Amino acid sequence: MGAQALAHQAPPPLLDDIEEVLITEQQIRDRIAELGTQISADYAGKDPLLIGVLRGVFIFMADLVRAIAIPIEVDFIGITRYGPSTQTQGIVRLTKDLEINMQQRHVLFVEDIIDTGLSLRYILNTLQARQPASLRICTLFNKPRKRLFELDIAYTGFELPDRFVVGYGLDYEEGYRNLPFVGVLQEEAITRRRLPPNTQT
Ligand code: IMP
Ligand code: MG
């Protein structure tokens, strides 16, 4: 194989990069059905507004809204976070605002994963200032071990150990979001991903 061909060699299939599956596609599907039933009952007659943060939540949001049997509305915000997650003084900036006015609405804030809680604390402060009728949190995955703030989470899909996971919307350097389950990456995949795409080793 020539150098040119090598440089454009396709990376191995995504599945080969996974060391361990933590939550299967079926487990996710079953749990979301339960969450949807619970949310439908709790918010009946309230016409709730579901708000998610792009981009990690897009897959969970898509499945969650279809598990909800009452009228709802959906909107998204975007944020950028600077500095390592362990820094209590990390800076969060809003990069995309809501389209829908949330004043006097029953807002359910939907997250893919909560780790330190830093991003969420900033967002909650921002949203609370807009005077919703109520504001509660729903997260598919919760990693409580590194939590820096006390958070009242109304709906949790799964508690996860303090490991970095990918799949079902969660990324490692923008990759792996499209895996239908949640798993832990092989060390080798992490090293490879850190190299520029055309680097030959
Ligand atoms: P927090 O501000 O520390 O709670 O971080 C929450 C954000 O960090 C999530 O919305 C994810 O974007 C990212 N994150 C935290 N843990 C993981 C993980 O295990 N895999 C992928 N992304 C993660
Ligand atoms: Mg990410």
Side-chain angles (χ1 to χ4, degrees), residues 4-24:
Q4 195 63 23
L6 256 182
H8 293 96
Q9 204 174 2
L14 286 184
L15 274 178
D16 292 2
D17 287 350
I18 301 301
E19 180 181 299
E20 190 186 341
V21 175
L22 292 186
I23 314 275
T24 66

Side-chain angles (χ1 to χ4, degrees), residues 55-56 112 164 169-174 177:
R55 281 157 291 161
D112 46 359
F164 190 81
L170 297 169
D171 72 302
Y172 171 63
E173 297 193 351
E174 296 306 325
R177 292 193 199 270

Side-chain angles (χ1 to χ4, degrees), residues 33-87:
E34 291 173 356
L35 290 174
T37 303
Q38 225 181 318
I39 291 167
S40 304
D42 295 351
Y43 284 90
K46 290 186 168 171
D47 192 18
L49 172 61
L50 275 64
I51 298 178
V53 183
L54 295 171
R55 281 157 291 161
V57 81
F58 79 107
I59 294 181
F60 176 42
M61 186 68 100
D63 284 342
L64 181 67
V65 295
R66 284 176 291 177
I68 295 175
I70 58 166
I72 58 159
E73 290 177 29
V74 184
D75 204 348
F76 294 94
I77 59 171
I79 60 162
T80 300
R81 208 175 73 174
Y82 307 94
S85 61
T86 45
Q87 265 184 5

Side-chain angles (χ1 to χ4, degrees), residues 81 85 111-120 143 163-166 170-171:
R81 208 175 73 174
S85 61
E111 266 281 29
D112 46 359
I113 189 164
I114 305 174
D115 189 16
T116 62
L118 194 61
S119 329
L120 190 56
K143 294 201 292 189
R163 298 175 78 179
F164 190 81
V165 294
V166 294
L170 297 169
D171 72 302

